[in-house]
Amino acid sequence: MLRGLYDWTLSLAARKSAEWWLAIIAFVESSVFLVPADVLYLPMALSRPDRAYRYALIATLASVLGGIAGWYIGHYAYDAVARPILEFYGKYDDFEALRVSSGIGFIILMLVTSGLAHLPPIKVVTILSGVIGVNLLLFIVLAIVARGARFLFLAWLLRRYGEPIREFIEKRLGMIAGTAAAALILLYITAKYAL
């Protein structure tokens, strides 16, 4: 199933409507969709490097709007919408454990790491943020910073290095994301216990 979704998403990059598809996928990724917008963003930016920043802005805006939708789902429709989605992905028990043990500082950390590196998936963080009542304005600002930094950094890399950076990102994205997430968690723990 995942491979089919991935292949379908890649096929969208060649269409004239690719920007609309990028916006739609970035939006739904932040609330319910399994495939990250990067799988469409990267081929689009590589095929049209002159539009890499434009695509980054589209993906950022749509992702933040999707995150707001996820926040509303978590805040107002947890039992009706969010719970079935989490159960469908087999993440309900993990989500409940996070819900019980999460404070605002941990949510902020997860939002930043998720926005930057998909760890944990952004949809989980957006829904959880709504469930525990993270201030919506703070949530929006953090989502803009985290998602914007991700897409704009990718745009810069792709404009500067082109095809070689795509291969590097695709081969080592998990390692890069894991290292960044570990560093942020270590920073958070250090700051928490230093105070």
Side-chain angles (χ1 to χ4, degrees):
M1 178 178 124
L2 182 58
R3 182 65 190 183
L5 283 173
Y6 179 82
D7 291 340
W8 173 76
T9 307
L10 282 176
S11 74
L12 298 176
R15 297 182 183 182
K16 288 183 181 185
S17 59
E19 287 183 7
W20 285 104
W21 282 110
L22 176 62
I24 291 166
I25 289 171
F27 180 90
V28 294
E29 173 207 358
S30 293
S31 51
V32 296
F33 198 45
L34 192 58
V35 177
D38 303 62
V39 299
L40 183 55
Y41 171 76
L42 289 172
M44 287 174 63
L46 283 170
S47 67
R48 294 289 309 266
D50 58 311
R51 292 189 178 185
Y53 287 108
R54 175 187 171 116
Y55 298 151
L57 291 174
I58 291 168
T60 299
L61 177 62
S63 182
V64 171
L65 291 173
I68 294 168
W71 187 95
Y72 274 98
I73 289 169
H75 197 73
Y76 295 109
Y78 178 69
D79 287 326
V81 178
R83 185 176 179 161
I85 291 168
L86 292 166
E87 288 173 343
F88 175 78
Y89 289 122
K91 299 294 183 187
Y92 177 73
D93 292 334
D94 295 336
F95 182 86
E96 281 300 307
L98 278 175
R99 179 175 127 156
V100 171
S101 65
S102 294
I104 187 70
F106 189 65
I107 291 296
I108 291 170
L109 175 66
M110 285 194 329
L111 183 60
V112 170
T113 60
S114 180
L116 294 174
H118 296 296
L119 297 170
I122 190 78
K123 69 192 108 325
V124 172
V125 181
T126 61
I127 293 169
L128 182 61
S129 296
V131 168
I132 70 165
V134 171
N135 177 282
L136 183 57
L137 183 57
L138 175 63
F139 172 83
I140 291 169
V141 169
L142 291 170
I144 289 169
V145 170
R147 298 302 277 179
R150 176 185 182 77
F151 288 115
L152 290 171
F153 181 65
L154 285 173
W156 178 80
L157 287 174
L158 292 170
R159 286 287 306 252
R160 182 162 174 98
Y161 299 105
E163 188 67 28
I165 196 64
R166 183 190 71 128
E167 292 174 16
F168 177 83
I169 289 169
E170 287 179 354
K171 288 181 182 175
R172 295 172 182 86
L173 185 59
M175 180 187 70
I176 294 167
T179 302
L184 286 171
I185 290 169
L186 183 60
L187 179 64
Y188 173 76
I189 292 170
T190 303
K192 181 178 179 178
Y193 289 108
L195 300 174

